[in-house]
Amino acid sequence: MDVEVKFPDRHLSVVAAICEFIALAYFEQLKVSHDAWQVCAEALAKRIYRYSELTALQQQLIRETLIAWLQSQMLNAQPEKTFIRNKAAQVFALVFVTEYLSTWPKFIFDILSVVGLNPRGVDLYLRVLMAIDAEVVDRDIIHTPEEARRNTLLKDTMREQCVPNLVESWYQILQTYQHTNSEVTCQCLEEEDVDFLARFSKLVNGMGQSLVVSWTKLAKSGDLKNAHDTLQSIESKVPLMLQLLIHEDDDISSNIIGFCYEYLHILKQ
């Protein structure tokens, strides 16, 4: 049986103060708890708390806490369990959706500046991107009209502000880990947004053609050592070039054709 307790109006402020005190005490306990972030992450992921109702200072604290947690992951002796990394990525994605267009436009840049090419950092970075893809890009997920409009604006803003940096980061990750960390490489090749991959293909094409030009000049000048190093750099990009060339989307495959012709020219020589 539910019992409704009614307080006289004059006592409401006291009750509110008590509730606030209890809440503050709870959050103080969370601050010193080792698993506090997991409790908060679970609550945010399940939307138990309305993020928009937090004060600007509280939202800033959440941003700082997320970045601090990310930094700590690269210093821990052992990586977090997979389900924790996935949950953290989901929280990052939810904050991105809420704040990228307003108070955190440098979201991607801030994360990249923290993770660099650290293998654990890269793993988390790619999980965050996949979580953002699920929230914003994935067409299999049914969204409300308001969420659809928001997602369109998010994608348009990302194309204008950070897609080149995303593509460059994927390229650097693939270059670094394609022979040593197959899990990270596979993760990197899973952002299946056509616009992103088209830009990525164009970037790889430009880099490949530039390297071919450098190799040609070095070979003609007789600088055999640097010519050899440049050729190795070209050949390391060939598997990626071929993977982009056979993509079913013409916008992606056509962007890499220039590099293909230049590489064939090298083989003929």
Side-chain angles (χ1 to χ4, degrees):
M1 178 179 176
D2 294 333
V3 178
E4 183 179 1
V5 180
K6 293 186 177 180
F7 294 93
D9 290 344
R10 65 181 181 276
H11 291 160
L12 289 179
S13 60
V14 177
V15 173
I18 292 173
C19 290
E20 183 179 3
F21 175 79
I22 292 173
L24 288 172
Y26 172 70
F27 283 115
E28 284 300 316
Q29 287 181 323
L30 281 179
K31 284 167 63 177
V32 298
S33 171
H34 292 298
D35 61 352
W37 80 269
Q38 295 181 45
V39 176
C40 298
E42 188 72 22
L44 182 58
K46 291 183 176 179
R47 294 170 170 87
I48 295 174
Y49 305 122
R50 292 182 178 273
Y51 188 79
S52 60
E53 294 178 1
L54 298 178
T55 66
L57 186 60
Q58 290 170 326
Q59 292 178 358
Q60 176 63 27
L61 179 60
I62 288 177
R63 291 194 290 271
E64 292 174 355
T65 301
L66 288 174
I67 292 298
W69 180 82
L70 192 60
Q71 291 171 328
S72 71
Q73 297 310 297
M74 292 178 285
L75 301 175
N76 290 348
Q78 296 294 329
E80 293 282 6
K81 294 180 179 178
T82 301
F83 80 91
I84 293 179
R85 283 179 277 160
N86 288 338
K87 181 60 65 176
Q90 185 183 6
V91 173
F92 272 95
L94 291 172
V95 173
F96 169 85
V97 167
T98 305
E99 295 207 339
Y100 180 67
L101 295 174
S102 54
T103 53
W104 202 356
K106 292 187 176 181
F107 179 94
I108 298 294
F109 300 101
D110 288 347
I111 292 180
L112 279 173
S113 68
V114 171
V115 303
L117 287 172
N118 179 286
R120 290 185 192 169
V122 166
D123 174 81
L124 287 165
Y125 166 64
L126 294 174
R127 289 177 192 275
V128 169
L129 291 184
M130 285 188 280
I132 290 174
D133 178 87
E135 286 288 331
V136 178
V137 180
D138 194 340
R139 296 177 182 176
D140 294 331
I141 297 177
I142 299 175
H143 294 289
T144 66
E146 182 181 355
E147 289 173 337
R149 287 191 294 272
R150 175 206 66 190
N151 290 348
T152 298
L153 183 57
L154 280 168
K155 288 185 285 187
D156 289 344
T157 306
M158 289 178 71
R159 290 187 187 104
E160 294 175 2
Q161 296 182 353
C162 66
V163 165
N165 301 88
L166 286 171
V167 171
E168 176 63 22
S169 72
W170 299 335
Y171 181 78
Q172 294 297 331
I173 291 167
L174 289 171
Q175 279 287 90
T176 304
Y177 294 109
Q178 61 181 329
H179 300 303
T180 59
N181 194 325
S182 58
E183 182 180 357
V184 165
T185 302
C186 289
Q187 278 181 283
C188 194
L189 292 174
E190 286 176 13
E191 263 288 76
E192 274 294 333
D193 183 81
V194 171
D195 289 334
F196 284 3
L197 286 178
R199 289 173 179 265
F200 181 56
S201 181
K202 192 173 184 178
L203 177 67
V204 174
N205 183 72
M207 289 182 171
Q209 288 183 308
S210 296
L211 284 169
V212 171
V213 171
S214 296
W215 174 83
T216 302
K217 291 180 178 179
L218 290 168
K220 287 182 176 179
S221 67
D223 190 345
L224 298 182
K225 181 183 182 305
N226 284 326
H228 175 73
D229 292 342
T230 303
L231 184 59
Q232 282 190 322
S233 182
I234 293 170
E235 291 177 340
S236 70
K237 295 169 181 59
V238 171
L240 182 58
M241 173 192 73
L242 294 175
Q243 191 166 1
L244 293 168
L245 182 64
I246 63 173
H247 198 282
E248 60 183 10
D249 191 281
D250 291 340
D251 289 337
I252 296 170
S253 58
S254 62
N255 282 344
I256 200 72
I257 289 176
F259 181 24
C260 295
Y261 280 125
E262 296 288 349
Y263 182 64
L264 287 173
H265 183 67
I266 289 180
L267 293 181
K268 289 179 181 179
Q269 295 185 51

